[in-house]
Amino acid sequence: MTATPTTHTATPRRHRARLLVPAAIAVLAFTATTAAADTSPTTAAERTATAHDRRAAEQKPKAMLDAWLRLWNGDFAQAPGIISPGFRVHAALLDGGDGSSVRGVDGLVAWIGQTRAAFRDLRFTIEVPPLVDGRYASVRWTATGTYAGGFPGAKAQPGTVVTFTGTDTLRMRDGKFAEYWVNTDTLSLLTQLQAL
């Protein structure tokens, strides 16, 4: 009777161990590299501070848009805090202009004042929550106001309530709005004013 050699059972185990050791070293190396490259906060305080910074960065454009809405609703004191001195407007104005004459804080406040003079109690509300992407913010709004009269070619009686919509797109720079594109449903407004 011959004895069964014990080397047959030991050899596959040694062979498996030789395969597993390089794999284990690779996993450890990858884990060490990933841990060294990971700069995320590790303590609860660091995680809270990072989350707060992220929320503050997200809230800044939203706070600016809230101030923008208040500005258009007649709170002109908001303008210096959110409008840059070189502020530019891109718009098809009712007088046929392209908006390039509206510049800086004073130009914007004067333009808003003229708009509000034509429509007593003009009130802007947000229709769709703002979209913010890097330096750009966009918001869809609805405006309702009472026509005060005096619009060239308008046959609507003073006291006529009008409602129209639009979308504002703003470019932010250094914590203020620097550029403004507006699309307003002018056709709807002129129709309500019976100016067509």
Side-chain angles (χ1 to χ4, degrees), residues 20-76:
L20 291 176
V21 169
I25 291 171
V27 167
L28 287 173
F30 176 75
T31 305
T33 304
T34 305
D38 185 10
T39 58
S40 62
T42 54
T43 68
E46 289 173 324
R47 285 191 298 274
T48 301
T50 301
H52 180 269
D53 292 345
R54 193 175 305 119
R55 277 193 305 275
E58 291 169 358
Q59 290 301 320
K60 177 67 174 168
K62 290 178 184 173
M64 289 172 63
L65 287 168
D66 287 344
W68 176 256
L69 181 66
R70 289 193 305 273
L71 171 60
W72 276 94
N73 281 330
D75 183 0
F76 297 146

Side-chain angles (χ1 to χ4, degrees), residues 65-176:
L65 287 168
D66 287 344
W68 176 256
L69 181 66
R70 289 193 305 273
L71 171 60
W72 276 94
N73 281 330
D75 183 0
F76 297 146
Q78 297 294 320
I82 61 168
I83 304 301
S84 76
F87 182 81
R88 295 183 311 155
V89 172
H90 306 278
L93 303 181
L94 291 174
D95 66 3
D98 63 1
S100 61
S101 62
V102 180
R103 294 277 186 165
V105 174
D106 293 338
L108 178 62
V109 168
W111 183 40
I112 294 171
Q114 290 171 350
T115 304
R116 295 189 62 77
F119 302 97
R120 297 190 314 261
D121 67 8
L122 186 62
R123 182 84 182 144
F124 289 83
T125 57
I126 302 298
E127 188 177 306
V128 176
L131 302 172
V132 178
D133 184 15
R135 299 179 303 145
Y136 293 91
S138 188
V139 64
R140 176 81 175 165
W141 49 262
T142 299
T144 301
T146 306
Y147 176 53
F151 189 87
K155 295 179 185 88
Q157 293 298 312
T160 300
V161 175
V162 297
T163 299
F164 56 100
T165 59
T167 302
D168 290 351
T169 301
L170 297 128
R171 181 174 63 86
M172 297 169 280
R173 186 181 68 219
D174 301 328
K176 293 189 176 187

